[in-house]
Amino acid sequence: MISKILIANRGEIACRIIRTARKMGIATVAVYSEADAHALHVEMADEAVLIGPAQASESYLKVDAILEAAKRTGADAIHPGYGFLSENPEFVERVEKAGLIFIGPSAKAIRAMGLKDAAKALMEKANVPVVPGYHGEAQELVVLAGKANEIGFPVLIKARAGGGGKGMRKVDRQEDFPAALSSARREAKASFGDDRVLVEKYVATPRHIEIQVFGDKHGNVVHLFERDCSAQRRHQKVIEEAPAPDMPEDMRAAMGEAAVQAAKAIDYAGAGTVEFIVDASEGLKADRFWFMEMNTRLQVEHPVTELITGLDLVEWQIRVADGEVLPLRQDQLSINGHAVEARIYAEDAEKGFLPAVGRLMHLAFPGGDIRIDAGVRAGDEITPFYDPMIAKVIAHGKTRAEALGKLAGALGRTEIAGTVTNTAFLARLCRDADFAAARLDTGLIDRNIDSLTEQAAAPDAILALAVLAGSGMVPSRNGPAVSVTEIGPFEIWGAPKRPVRLEIHGTEKTFQVERQGAASWRISGEGLAPGGLQLDAVGRTGNDWSFSAGGVMQRCRLVSSSTEVAIFFEGLTYRFGKPQGKRTDDLAAGGDQVISAMPGIIKQVLVAKGQDVKSGEPLVIMEAMKMEMTLSAPRDGVVAEVLVTVGAQVPDGVSLVMLESEADAA
């Protein structure tokens, strides 16, 4: 039996594997980068080994360092989690050559499914239905564009070595094909080291339905039913659920059998997922699904399968890797209820889902029967080096409606301060009329994006309370009494007053706080009614605040730091920034420059000094937190300076391109 597992990963999945290993009585070894020295997975594991600097290429992707860590600690098996080296066949071979057990499929199976074009050809031979398209070797623009015309627009360009939506572009018109191809290739090269692509027919009303398969080393393969991952943006899964809504039994059987055949065709052992694209234009039908790809690893969304089957898929992985026969036969597997999972990310939904960074100064998840899979805790930092996922929130119910209701409620009770998150967006999606009614396809989020990302205006009382907290004139921790030292200097005549500036949805506003009594305050300023708003009976115990506005006593949770005030009230989070003073960059002419939105690497510089540019024209392409971003000209003008070069690592808030000032141009 495996006695000690080294986990070649980090974050949520590393913590997830440690929990199962501990339950099985197996010791664990964590590896970590310098940026993760105090990470949760390091704390949870029995042993931990530093393997390199913050950059993944110098740590979590360093095979030699990982194998050396296994040798030093006496580990006899390695679990790759997902991402990083999990689908790297050379890594599998190195692990096995070192005399260790790889908890996953064989290198041969990974190679068979690693390239989309080869995998589709293999599936065709195994009689698994495949999406119409071009999967050939020729990669010249003229060939690919010609094939796209033959297939008929719209088409999808897909990185053949890709996954997770990387290197994928939808193209609606022939004239857009060259630019989309260039962008897809660039992203594919950066993500997978391979810029070759395939071109497929775009299904107009697509649903993304995948089948969880499991094989052992004795030739047995079963499927653990389906997951629906149609709620996507930029081809990235947002909410996943099991089973698929409205799935007919004949289609479930057909898809399950196709997935099993796919796994058997490559002698698959371990956990894998066979992904299908489904034409839902006329409902779900057994002849309207096609193979897309197979992920030869555990999926991020595996918890929904665990909840409807009552199984631990990580335990199955370990047992299969150790040579055991699959614990159950196909006829012993069944579906119990419905499960839904949402991925909480540090990202700004109101700004195009721009990834965010920051220290988690407050983090609280709901209790009860909600499952939380997290790799962070309060005080941890979301850095630009890795995927910005904070946690997965998973709910289970007897019906889909019950599970969705539980998930929406849990998201509303999740409290995160220190960085912007997508929790409000996720909660709105759970309650979206189309999503709730299971009118699903992969374009649902894009169609409803305005309502799903609308800015929620804070109630006047919450705004006033944020201003009070931002003033520093706060009540004592255990009641309404207020000390002079907490208030600050009194005015010689009259009540103590203090001006306060807060940033609300990117706009800085000015307020005034005036003390009316021991626990009463009047707040006035922009956005509040003339004369201001009176807060009475203000008190707090820790982060729990109480106050009366207009005779109504209310309660909320408030967390304040040097950079923001976050208030959790009635299932919503309201964030107010504390202006830190103008940066040098901000003091320049407002529309004269392009500024990095966050730390990242410059991938392309598209302009040169002296070049005329139009408003909205792409100037720089940078990559940050696994996402490619295009930074555009803020106005028409002439490039005065290009301040970066390709490959440069830039911090947040620096100038990348300067335009001649409009005064100079005139």
Side-chain angles (χ1 to χ4, degrees):
M1 181 68 181
I2 292 171
S3 61
K4 183 183 288 189
I5 297 172
L6 181 142
I7 302 160
N9 217 298
R10 64 177 301 279
E12 170 268 324
I13 186 57
C15 297
R16 163 73 187 87
I17 295 165
I18 290 169
R19 284 193 293 270
T20 288
R22 182 177 296 158
K23 179 184 71 174
M24 297 176 69
I26 299 173
T28 55
V29 179
V31 294
Y32 64 94
S33 70
E34 291 174 353
D36 280 339
H38 304 290
L40 181 59
H41 76 284
V42 174
E43 179 181 293
M44 289 179 62
D46 297 299
E47 300 173 79
V49 179
L50 174 65
I51 55 172
Q55 292 80 5
S57 60
E58 298 300 319
S59 51
Y60 296 106
L61 294 173
K62 294 288 284 187
V63 175
D64 289 340
I66 291 170
L67 293 178
E68 175 60 25
K71 179 180 178 181
R72 286 169 57 190
T73 57
D76 52 1
I78 291 182
H79 196 306
Y82 48 70
F84 293 134
L85 294 167
S86 62
E87 294 181 281
N88 185 315
E90 288 77 20
F91 178 55
V92 179
E93 291 168 342
R94 291 283 304 279
V95 169
E96 293 176 343
K97 185 177 180 180
L100 305 173
I101 296 172
F102 181 76
I103 302 177
S106 67
K108 179 181 177 182
I110 293 174
R111 283 196 177 95
M113 289 298 184
L115 299 177
K116 287 184 171 64
D117 50 359
K120 289 177 188 294
L122 183 61
M123 291 302 97
E124 286 178 326
K125 291 181 181 178
N127 296 317
V128 176
V130 173
V131 180
Y134 172 71
H135 311 130
E137 288 295 321
Q139 292 291 300
E140 295 82 4
L141 171 60
V142 64
V143 173
L144 296 175
K147 294 298 182 181
N149 287 332
E150 291 177 14
I151 296 166
F153 289 93
V155 298
L156 270 182
I157 301 172
K158 301 171 71 173
R160 75 166 196 162
K166 302 297 183 183
M168 184 182 295
R169 298 292 185 274
K170 178 191 174 190
V171 190
D172 293 305
R173 305 179 305 165
Q174 180 181 9
E175 53 267 38
D176 297 333
F177 190 86
L181 176 62
S182 176
S183 179
R185 280 176 165 164
R186 186 168 55 249
E187 189 171 68
K189 184 69 173 178
S191 299
F192 314 112
D194 185 344
D195 66 356
R196 286 170 289 182
V197 301
L198 49 86
V199 182
E200 292 181 345
K201 178 65 181 173
Y202 179 79
V203 179
T205 311
R207 280 176 65 172
H208 181 133
I209 299 177
E210 59 190 32
I211 304 290
Q212 176 72 60
V213 294
F214 235 104
D216 63 25
K217 297 177 181 179
H218 306 277
N220 302 302
V221 180
V222 299
H223 70 82
L224 280 66
F225 311 108
E226 78 279 358
R227 297 185 287 257
D228 196 311
C229 306
S230 300
Q232 301 180 4
R233 58 166 188 80
R234 297 189 188 128
H235 307 292
Q236 297 270 10
K237 300 167 187 175
V238 175
I239 289 183
E240 305 99 348
E241 56 185 305
D246 305 322
M247 171 67 82
E249 282 301 325
D250 65 333
M251 184 173 182
R252 174 173 291 132
M255 292 185 74
E257 178 58 28
V260 168
Q261 284 299 111
K264 285 184 174 180
I266 57 173
D267 298 322
Y268 197 81
T273 300
V274 183
E275 301 194 347
F276 296 96
I277 191 75
V278 176
D279 181 356
S281 58
E282 298 178 6
L284 297 183
K285 296 185 177 181
D287 62 348
R288 299 289 182 88
F289 68 90
W290 301 279
F291 173 87
M292 286 198 302
E293 63 183 347
M294 182 175 184
N295 289 312
T296 52
R297 54 171 167 78
L298 197 66
Q299 293 278 88
V300 178
E301 58 271 22
H302 76 273
V304 295
T305 296
E306 292 185 322
L307 289 181
I308 67 165
T309 60
L311 303 173
D312 184 331
L313 299 194
V314 174
E315 180 177 347
W316 273 39
Q317 283 187 297
I318 295 170
R319 294 193 180 281
V320 165
D322 211 28
E324 295 186 25
V325 175
L326 287 177
L328 297 173
R329 301 186 310 269
Q330 190 68 59
D331 60 3
Q332 294 175 301
L333 296 164
S334 60
I335 296 173
N336 174 29
H338 201 96
V340 193
E341 171 184 296
R343 307 181 187 190
I344 297 180
Y345 279 92
E347 62 182 10
D348 194 337
E350 297 172 2
K351 296 181 180 178
F353 297 94
L354 187 70
V357 295
R359 188 170 297 281
L360 300 172
M361 62 182 186
H362 177 77
L363 182 65
F365 295 110
D369 60 352
I370 298 298
R371 172 172 166 175
I372 305 295
D373 282 14
V376 293
R377 59 222 192 277
D380 287 349
E381 186 173 0
I382 305 299
T383 73
F385 301 110
Y386 315 114
D387 185 274
M389 186 167 70
I390 294 172
K392 301 182 302 194
V393 181
I394 313 106
H396 181 255
K398 294 179 181 179
T399 65
R400 182 175 189 266
E402 180 183 336
L404 269 181
K406 286 184 176 181
L407 180 60
L411 291 166
R413 298 192 305 276
T414 296
E415 300 175 0
I416 303 174
T419 183
V420 62
T421 73
N422 64 342
T423 50
F425 160 76
L426 294 170
R428 290 191 193 104
L429 180 56
C430 288
R431 298 186 175 100
D432 176 84
D434 288 333
F435 187 77
R439 293 189 289 268
L440 302 175
D441 66 78
T442 57
L444 183 150
I445 290 177
D446 286 341
R447 288 195 302 275
N448 300 341
I449 195 66
D450 290 341
S451 62
L452 293 174
T453 59
E454 64 184 351
Q455 295 181 347
D460 286 353
I462 295 301
L463 172 58
L465 193 66
V467 174
L468 175 58
S471 73
M473 302 168 69
V474 295
S476 64
R477 285 188 170 274
N478 297 307
V482 182
S483 70
V484 173
T485 56
E486 285 179 304
I487 293 177
F490 283 85
E491 293 183 358
I492 295 176
W493 305 106
K497 300 178 181 179
R498 182 172 295 176
V500 177
R501 292 184 301 134
L502 289 181
E503 187 178 285
I504 304 172
H505 295 310
T507 302
E508 194 173 306
K509 297 185 177 183
T510 303
F511 304 89
Q512 181 167 276
V513 177
E514 181 177 355
R515 183 183 178 191
Q516 301 289 300
S520 297
W521 314 80
R522 177 162 293 277
I523 316 297
S524 57
E526 301 177 62
L528 294 172
L533 186 143
Q534 182 85 14
L535 294 180
D536 297 313
V538 179
R540 69 181 175 120
T541 301
N543 292 328
D544 295 320
W545 289 57
S546 60
F547 60 96
S548 175
V552 178
M553 182 62 72
Q554 300 179 78
R555 291 178 175 82
C556 67
R557 186 160 294 169
L558 185 152
V559 179
S560 182
S561 72
S562 61
T563 58
E564 74 169 17
V565 176
I567 299 180
F568 308 100
F569 178 70
E570 294 185 344
L572 294 175
T573 301
Y574 300 97
R575 300 177 71 245
F576 307 88
K578 294 181 178 180
Q580 303 299 299
K582 297 287 187 180
R583 293 185 304 212
T584 303
D585 291 331
D586 297 328
L587 296 174
D592 289 349
Q593 55 193 319
V594 172
I595 296 174
S596 58
M598 64 185 306
I601 298 173
I602 303 301
K603 306 301 292 184
Q604 273 196 312
V605 177
L606 305 174
V607 292
K609 182 176 180 179
Q611 183 175 331
D612 291 328
V613 296
K614 296 293 185 182
S615 177
E617 180 179 339
L619 304 186
V620 176
I621 295 174
M622 66 181 293
E623 183 183 280
M625 301 179 86
K626 296 187 177 181
M627 188 177 80
E628 187 178 275
M629 292 177 288
T630 300
L631 305 180
S632 303
R635 59 172 173 82
D636 293 355
V638 178
V639 176
E641 295 288 344
V642 176
L643 303 173
V644 290
T645 57
V646 173
Q649 179 87 41
V650 297
D652 174 29
V654 300
S655 296
L656 308 179
V657 177
M658 294 288 296
L659 301 183
E660 291 182 1
S661 70
E662 293 181 285
D664 291 342

